[in-house]
Amino acid sequence: MVNELEFEKPLVQLKEKINELKTFTVDSDVDLSSEIEKLESRLAKLEEDTYMNIKPWDRVQIARHPERPTTLDYIEELFEQFIELHGDRLYGDDHAIVGGIAFYKEKPVTVIGHQRGKGTKDNIKRNFGMPHPEGYRKALRLMRQAEKFNRPIICFIDTKGAYPGKAAEERGQSEAIARNLFEMAGLTVPIVCLVIGEGGSGGALALGIGNHLHMLENSTYSVISPEGAASILWKDASLAQKAAESMKITAPDLKEMGIIDQIVTEVRGGAHHSIKEQAEKIDEVLHASLRTLCSLSGEELIAHRHEKFQKIGSHTVLSEIL
């Protein structure tokens, strides 16, 4: 059973009422079809109003849904013969990032992504999808391998952020993230990035330097969580909903600002309602991206990536100042 979100409660209550009337009709042999028809018509209108007017905070809740599909879910649906590769060859293996080689449309690719857990035990194993530096170094190792064998790279982004613990900092968390940003900018193979849930801070950006950056309709991408922003701005994390409204962290906002390339439409109510149907929608966008990018040379791919990120925001070249 899919867990319903706060903004969906009126829908749930109306559905329960309709089911009660249907059950009563069968058990008591009383014809309530006209009443049921009216409620179903009302439900259809309420669903349309609810899902056509989703607020930023609602999208945050959908992105965090415990049953939202993860990287491994999409790998199973979209790719064939996936072989997961482990370890960074420097420290260890980080289960918060998964990656390996697979076939997509009969062509070899490298797939990398953040991986949240499902259930308490799995979340502890995967550190709730918050990578340590060895996770980012594993990702970079796989990217370099992909470049060596001329395989396109596909990255799935879904993390609250890089793990901020003492051990992670001692092992070079910020350096690992910065190294990924630098190295990804210069890779000579196509890179397609897709935000499938939460895209938080540098932990998300470390897998986000691609030629194309797409977002699922109800995912988020930001430098900080709404709770963190509210704590800084107003000293009150309970104002997270207000922060979400002003931060412009949703796919429609980021598309309007030119930060992402395309919004991947979601199943009504969120991707967790149908993994298979959502994977089909991702497949269309992913296939189109790779078809476009695979026609470019290595030098063209690097230039394309540089141009893409130089267009984001405003900046001044230091030499122009001096």
Side-chain angles (χ1 to χ4, degrees):
M1 181 67 181
V2 172
N3 295 321
E4 302 295 346
L5 299 167
E6 185 69 28
F7 74 97
E8 294 177 310
K9 283 186 177 180
L11 295 174
V12 176
Q13 293 169 355
L14 191 51
K15 287 177 183 177
E16 290 175 350
K17 182 63 176 178
I18 291 171
N19 289 332
E20 286 177 9
L21 291 181
K22 286 181 177 179
T23 302
F24 183 78
T25 298
V26 173
D27 294 342
S28 63
D29 199 27
V30 176
D31 185 12
L32 297 173
S33 57
S34 61
E35 287 79 0
I36 293 172
E37 187 176 340
K38 289 177 183 177
L39 288 178
E40 287 179 334
S41 177
R42 180 181 165 192
L43 176 62
K45 179 66 167 61
L46 184 58
E47 282 185 334
E48 184 177 356
D49 291 343
T50 299
Y51 294 127
M52 287 295 290
N53 297 287
I54 296 180
K55 296 179 174 61
W57 183 245
D58 298 331
R59 295 191 193 277
V60 170
Q61 298 308 303
I62 295 174
R64 293 174 175 175
H65 198 286
E67 295 174 33
R68 191 168 178 84
T70 65
T71 293
L72 287 176
D73 290 325
Y74 288 126
I75 286 176
E76 184 177 350
E77 293 291 337
L78 292 167
F79 304 94
E80 296 179 348
Q81 300 181 46
F82 174 68
I83 300 174
E84 185 175 353
L85 303 176
H86 300 273
D88 67 344
R89 305 298 186 267
L90 293 169
Y91 178 82
D93 188 35
D94 187 351
H95 298 290
I97 286 185
V98 296
I101 54 178
F103 283 97
Y104 178 70
K105 310 293 185 186
E106 301 183 348
K107 294 184 178 181
V109 296
T110 290
V111 189
I112 303 166
H114 300 97
Q115 181 63 33
R116 294 179 291 106
K118 293 191 174 182
T120 303
K121 186 176 180 181
D122 196 28
N123 262 316
I124 292 173
K125 172 185 175 182
R126 299 192 183 279
N127 201 33
F128 296 86
M130 296 184 292
H132 288 76
E134 52 269 25
Y136 295 115
R137 290 174 180 139
K138 172 172 68 174
L140 182 56
R141 179 176 75 83
L142 298 183
M143 291 179 197
R144 287 170 173 163
Q145 181 193 77
E147 183 178 45
K148 178 179 179 179
F149 293 102
N150 198 33
R151 291 193 296 261
I153 299 168
I154 299 163
C155 294
F156 292 99
I157 298 169
D158 185 15
T159 182
K160 298 177 188 298
Y163 186 61
K166 181 175 181 286
E169 296 297 343
E170 288 175 341
R171 295 199 296 273
Q173 183 72 287
S174 57
E175 188 278 337
I177 292 172
R179 177 68 58 183
N180 276 28
L181 305 184
F182 178 79
E183 296 277 358
M184 288 183 77
L187 293 175
T188 58
V189 292
I191 305 176
V192 180
C193 305
L194 183 71
V195 184
I196 59 173
E198 285 186 275
S201 194
L205 192 60
L207 296 186
I209 307 300
N211 295 97
H212 287 172
L213 174 61
H214 307 307
M215 283 181 70
L216 265 62
E217 184 180 1
N218 294 313
S219 56
T220 61
Y221 199 41
S222 65
V223 298
I224 193 171
S225 69
E227 291 86 350
S231 296
I232 293 171
L233 294 174
W234 304 299
K235 312 299 181 187
D236 187 354
S238 67
L239 296 176
Q241 184 169 347
K242 178 181 177 182
E245 296 281 349
S246 61
M247 288 171 65
K248 307 296 183 184
I249 62 176
T250 66
D253 291 325
L254 295 170
K255 181 69 172 70
E256 184 178 345
M257 290 186 286
I259 294 174
I260 66 170
D261 294 280
Q262 191 168 341
I263 299 173
V264 182
T265 56
E266 285 197 33
V267 177
R268 174 172 280 193
H272 55 281
H273 285 282
S274 176
I275 296 175
K276 187 171 291 292
E277 187 179 343
Q278 190 59 58
E280 290 173 357
K281 294 177 183 294
I282 291 174
D283 186 41
E284 293 178 12
V285 175
L286 184 57
H287 183 49
S289 272
L290 288 177
R291 188 171 61 244
T292 299
L293 296 174
C294 286
S295 65
L296 302 178
S297 68
E299 292 75 14
E300 288 172 328
L301 288 166
I302 293 173
H304 177 277
R305 219 171 289 137
H306 286 185
E307 183 180 358
K308 173 184 175 60
F309 284 91
Q310 285 172 350
K311 287 181 179 178
I312 297 175
S314 59
H315 63 279
T316 302
V317 180
L318 183 59
S319 59
E320 294 177 358
I321 299 175
L322 299 177

